[in-house]
Amino acid sequence: PLEQWDENHVSSWMKSIGVKDTYIEKLHEDEVTGPVLKGLTSDFLKTETQMKPGQIQLLLSKRDELMTSIHQQKSVNKQTGSSTKSEVKDHQNERKEIKHQEVKAVKGPDPESKKKTIKSLPDSQPNLESCEPHPFDITDEVFKYVKHRVLPPETGIVDLIVPCHEYKSLGEAVKLDRTRLQVKFSSEVIRFGAGCMNVRTNGTIHFGIMDSKNTSYQHGEIIGIPVKDKDLFVDALDYIERSFTNPSQQADARQCIRPPRFIEVIDRDSTETSWVVEVDIVPKAEIVKGKLYSVRIPKFNEKTNKVELDKKTVYQRVGAKTVSITDEDHVEFIQGLTERDRRRQEAESSVYQHPSEIREDLGRKLCMLFTGGKKYMDDSLWYIIVTNKFENDSLKNITFLLNMNIFCVLDFDPDSRTSGLCCRYQTLKRSTPNVHFLHDYMNDSDLIKKLQLFYQPSWIFCNGRNDYLGDEKPCDENTWIKNKKKHLKKAITTICNEILPKGTFLVLFVLMSEVEQPIVDTFHEFYAEMNGHEDVIVISESKEHYNKWASLAQTSCPTETLNQISIVGMQMSHVDVTLQSIQPFTTTLSDKHLPVYSKGQCMLTPDDEKAMLSLEILGINAFDDINIKGSVIDVEDIEKHFYQGGKVSWMNFWLADNGKCGEVIQRDTYEEVIKILENILKGNTLSRSVARINIYHHPGSGGSTVARQTLWNKRKDLRCAVVKPSHPVATVCEHAVLLREFEEKDINKCVPVLLLLEDYEDLDELRHGLGEAISCKKINPLTICFILLSCKRSHEPEKMVKSFPAESVAITHKLSDREKKLFSKKREVLEQTFEPEFILTFVLMSEGFDEKYIKNFVGNILKDIDHSSLETHLIVYIALLSCYVQHSYISVSHCEAFLGLGICVEPIRQSSFENALSKEARLVLIHFRDSITFVRIIHPLVAQEILNQLCSDQQQSIFAMALLQEKVLFEHRFGRNDFLKFIRDLFIRRYKRSKGDNVDSLFSPLIEHVCNEENNPPKAMDLLKSAYTSLGKDPFLAQQLARLCSTHEKFEDAKHWAEVAKSHLPHDSFILHTEAQVYKKWFNFKLDSVDKKDRTPENTAEIIEMALKATACFRASEKAAELEEDRMNNTAYFGEVDVCCRLLQLIKSVNVFSNEITKLLHYLLTDDIPEEIQKPWNTFHSHLKGLQNRIYYALEWISEDLSYFQTDKNEEEEEVMNKELEHQYNPRKWLLRKTQVYAEFFCENDLSASQDQEFESPDNISPLRRQMRIYKLGGGNVTTIFSMLSDQKNERCGQKLEEIISMYLDPQKLDLSDLANYILCQIALGCVSPGSPKLATFRQLQELSLRFSKGRINTCLTSAFFLHTLLFWPDEMQDKEPNERNNKILMAAIDNLKRLYEHKIKNVPSRKKRIFTHFFLGNGNGLHRIVHRSRLEKCIKGSLNERRLKWLNGEVWKTPEVTQLLKRVEGWTENEKLFVWGSCKHSKIKVIPLHSASLPHMNENVSFYLGFSFNGPVALHIN
């Protein structure tokens, strides 16, 4: 009974029903016995064993069938009673056989358990799958049986032609010696054969099949027997001659009893081969007519050890048994021979007159398999093709494949690439698929992006390639199973479980050559992963190939089921035409037409286009060759999708142009974009070879439509393309250049390329990359090559336009009077075809997205909605994402799983998903189909209003928390990465003005909403904690928690979460910086809580400790940042200076030092420790005495960093800037302020006090106070010195510089750092006050700077090398003779600057950190030829943004005041590098072009303006 089963019985039963081994092992380890099996639940299996839903369904359904059969068996036993003793005796031998045929145990938890065998199953045996016997009297070498399948019951006479069957297990006999086994086998065959011959019926006796019911096996169950020597069984039939005594009858028997047939039994759980041995009996009428056959059955006598023959006996078939004829019946049986002969003759003749094979309607069957009863195939399905070698004739008939959405092809033909299906497909499709091998799918990283899935078919060569030069050669079956089968299993598991949801794809097996085991293994894997055959179709032109396939595949799927899903014997030409007739879109494969420079057109083949896969190229003839079936319905669907809120498609424009639907309205800004575009093309604007047009638009205001209208209407004049997301910038640049130069002879005469970039993050990087790409070509720098049409969402588009007004337009929800008329008229037309709810987005737009209208609209939809339903929760979740995360969505499969629709057996299509939604949900959700299908709210403003109304009673934080608890959504496999990314952004991504947002937020907008609008910071913290857990303990969420807690003064919690984040990423500089910020805020909080008048060493000790912890964390962040190669993070230096400066103010306010500055400086700068603080500050003294050096070092580092790179700012940033964020928006200003604070502190007094500090002579003050005085005046570092030059009053700046210079007593005795600052001040003074008496001569400064060359290079300051480039740049007036020394100094300085710059920039792209040019070469001599950037700034008129734009587009170089100041330097290009002559013969100086796109590529002479940067000399405005 089931109650007595142990875990071994359960494991054996699970293996028999097809449960995967991994789950069997797990349940075996968990000791799942019979009683446990009865109570298993879906939740237990899912949580404890992580069992997949399909396997759960299989196990529980079979369990229920088992329990039902047990119940029925008990009922039968009650009625019939127990078996009789004779029945028990009849089965005694069979039970012995069973004992030796015990089922092997599955793998257990330890090696020892593998050696054990499972006990025989109890009496209650589950129903096993049935199968048909081998075809009668036919040789079929590919036919195989599957172990534990069950043949039909033994039968008697049917119609004499249909064979009767008899089963013998032969389990014990096969263990006997040769003679005994032959006797046993021959006696059974001869008895059965004689019985069939006498009654004139065909028959088959099977050995290896269980022939009676017992406690272990079912009647007719296929077990098999070992066959070591087939001749043993063949030779056993030699007993025919001894058993049939009459020579004539011996000959008859030889003709009627066929030789033994050996059929392999497939047992996937065993490596040993077993067989079923069958003997057919065919008593043809012409042979047996009028004859009665008596036989003497051989029998082995154990006593004499010899074979003996029984007495003559006549046998006949009675029912399912072979029995002897009694003497009483003998005469009557002989009299009936004539009638039996007649019936036999009639039966034989009827077989030929009425053939049994009925013609099948394969055409209809094929259509039904592909359409499921619909008119056309579902064009949303993806197809996986599995095939082997095609013959040449069959390759002519694959057109149907061209019109399918092929996801991948698993190709077992190693020559397919050169002469097979892949080659033919590529030729017809005129595109090259992505070629892969099985091991490419072994990587667990983002396969879709890595393998470019969905963009074009993935052609997987499953058994290598003969033409491939690498290590992927084809191999034989055994080697394949050993080396590649595991890769196949992984690939199929990945595709079915992680990429394509069930119901979205169909697997098509096309068997075109002899079937081998690997392609059958592919079927097994798909069958297991897809939990059945529902979405599998098999096509085989050859019946022979199919028969072998079916015999091998039946181990997974019954033969009857295989026949149902298979098209066998239909010619491929007929398959091809039939499938084409049911394909909804049959597009004639044509080339795309592109404009050429000569005003003609060229053709871009699909293969050429695939070489530019990062671009969606728009041809002149787009859709001209499409054949739309059912066009009326399709047009309505396309229009409805667009006007309901879907993105506009090229098809919308094509339909409008061809009068199949109304026109797409052009907003007013369309004309503005066209005007800017035409001005660029005509050269009316100051543009380089890569121009740019910006469209900033409110979400859902039609910005994308305007952008695509521009491309559509300009496709005949420009080469237009949309940049696809997720491709590297370098790839996009390469493909854009290919598109521009395609089919053009002269690269200087090409049609410009118009590239659309929608919310593209790396726009500047792309622009720079295209410029670099052009710089590698010999193209005139004034030629317009690329126009970047950037379409970006923005909450404040009108503000964004101010940054670049000449090349930007803003699109808002507000309609002009002209637009209102157009929208109103269009709305009237649409409402004649569609109900208003089906064109909601258009209706909303026609109302100008009026706030009151949206409120009423949403209110009407939601008034009757059930707030507690799953559907309502789903709408709120999607609204949360739509409102707070740009471009977010939830995949349809996520929605299905959440709503419980995933249990449907039939594949769920778009229509069935939408039908499952309520009317309210269908109105606010819009369904998109791309590489995945997904839904979002029809418009962000609608999403916001849904939140306002649905969350009126409950706060948004409650729904956000509920979202984080939805395990179904978080654990759902398909689209999981995107979903988790959106959830992460919901809690982490901040608003940034630079990204088009209306504010710069400290936290994600949802978190700020909870903190500010709901006034509930603790709830926001709880949300982040829950998100941290739900998103797999994301360290950056812990970082956000630390920031949030410290902002709201929960410092202990902040400390904990900062440490948690650091435990995950101990070397991340930003994480370490957050920890430092926690201590910084904690320090400030503690400091502010203690009144200045009450500060003592005792009550400030804890505060000082907090400050020192902050500085230690900042230093840890600094060190981590130095080791990070792919980013630059200098924020820790700013934080350290902030804390140290405030710490100094704290120490100064302590009562011990409050009125004794000298005492304080003694403490900080010497070994002196006042007695009052000796003990309270015992652990801090060494740290506090190092404060001055730490601040000095940090300020120097910041100064040097700022001297390298530009720090862009704009007017909007200045408007919102506060001192806390000053280091981000205006770091130079921050540096000036902090330097002054630092200097004033240490300048207030000296260890040798003086009463009149302001008028002290420099001779009478200490070196430290002199240094601090210089710092206070702004002469402490390169950045503060040059910042003084921005003063609008040169006189004031000159006086300050003179005062600084006067502080230096003897320049010859200065250390190198002070010497560099002294020379920098002299150069700065020369810029603002060239007649100053304090100004040294140019020669003097040159001589002073020679000291830099005498020191070690590694200890030399970067500013020293920079000064050498300024002072020793060749001067035609002074260097009339070659100066080897000066030339050597200059070349060494340039080389060292380059080396130090590369160390500084690390692996960060230079375009992200633009070099800052400090000085330019002017027309004068000596110091007069050095022109600071600030002088050029004063020549440029306009606002800050306008001046910045003039620098970017090069307009500054055409300003007359600038051209009069600067000198053009002459040089030449050589191998695409720029050089000028040095002061010595043959000395070439390499100059870096600041904008490489302007560098000509031919070897020719050029002129340019020369700039001086910390990366060496740079060239600007090259002609």
Side-chain angles (χ1 to χ4, degrees), residues 155-168:
T155 58
I157 302 171
V158 181
D159 61 1
L160 304 183
I161 299 300
V162 174
C164 56
H165 295 272
E166 188 168 307
Y167 304 144
K168 298 294 177 183

Side-chain angles (χ1 to χ4, degrees), residues 266-325:
I266 301 173
D267 183 2
R268 297 176 71 179
D269 300 323
S270 174
T271 57
E272 296 179 3
T273 304
S274 59
W275 306 80
V276 168
V277 183
E278 298 179 347
V279 178
D280 291 333
I281 313 298
V282 190
K284 290 189 177 180
E286 61 186 15
I287 299 174
V288 299
K289 186 176 182 179
K291 298 177 182 177
L292 179 68
Y293 297 93
S294 58
V295 291
R296 300 179 66 187
I297 301 300
K299 182 179 179 182
F300 192 85
N301 190 323
E302 295 293 342
K303 295 180 180 179
T304 62
N305 204 30
K306 292 182 179 180
V307 179
E308 299 176 352
L309 298 174
D310 278 349
K311 65 177 182 177
K312 273 189 178 185
T313 307
V314 178
Y315 290 95
Q316 65 171 334
R317 289 289 294 173
V318 176
K321 297 181 179 180
T322 303
V323 298
S324 60
I325 300 174

Side-chain angles (χ1 to χ4, degrees), residues 796-811:
E796 293 184 322
E798 290 157 321
K799 261 193 174 182
M800 295 296 291
V801 167
K802 291 180 181 179
S803 299
F804 303 99
E807 56 188 50
S808 304
V809 298
I811 303 177

Side-chain angles (χ1 to χ4, degrees), residues 5 117-118 165 183-184 346 478-479 691 736 789 807 857 921 1006 1157 1213 1254 1355:
W5 283 17
T117 57
I118 297 175
H165 295 272
V183 169
K184 174 66 175 173
E346 288 180 358
N478 292 333
T479 306
L789 182 58
E807 56 188 50
F857 160 72
L1006 173 62
I1157 302 301
E1213 289 171 347
E1254 292 296 326
T1355 61

Side-chain angles (χ1 to χ4, degrees), residues 590-595 601-604 618-622 715:
S590 64
D591 304 312
K592 287 184 178 180
H593 294 189
L594 299 178
Q601 295 181 5
C602 69
M603 288 191 292
L604 178 77
L618 180 61
I620 295 173
N621 60 331
R715 71 189 191 282

